[in-house]
Amino acid sequence: MSTSRVGHPAAAVAWLVRRLSATDEGLTAGQVVLSGGLTAAVPVAPGDVVTATIDRLGSIELGCR
């Protein structure tokens, strides 16, 4: 997918910084920000549980509120 269709990855980081700033939060030195995704975006709703499994690393679950 081209960056012209979905926007430049740096734009996602800029959005994150503005969003955090609005609540007097921010990024700290050493934090890692991944501005791209490994999969397509999937809509979630309260009560959904998302599980990601990565070969040789394991799984993680995210409960949505």
Side-chain angles (χ1 to χ4, degrees):
M1 199 174 287
S2 72
T3 58
S4 62
R5 179 172 174 204
V6 296
H8 195 282
V13 177
W15 173 88
L16 174 63
V17 170
R18 286 192 301 274
R19 182 75 176 220
L20 291 172
S21 177
T23 58
D24 292 326
E25 298 181 69
L27 300 175
T28 60
Q31 280 185 298
V32 175
V33 177
L34 302 176
S35 62
L38 298 174
T39 65
V42 177
V44 294
D48 287 351
V49 177
V50 179
T51 304
T53 303
I54 301 173
D55 189 37
R56 296 188 304 257
L57 290 179
S59 298
I60 186 167
E61 283 190 352
L62 170 71
C64 301
R65 297 193 267 169

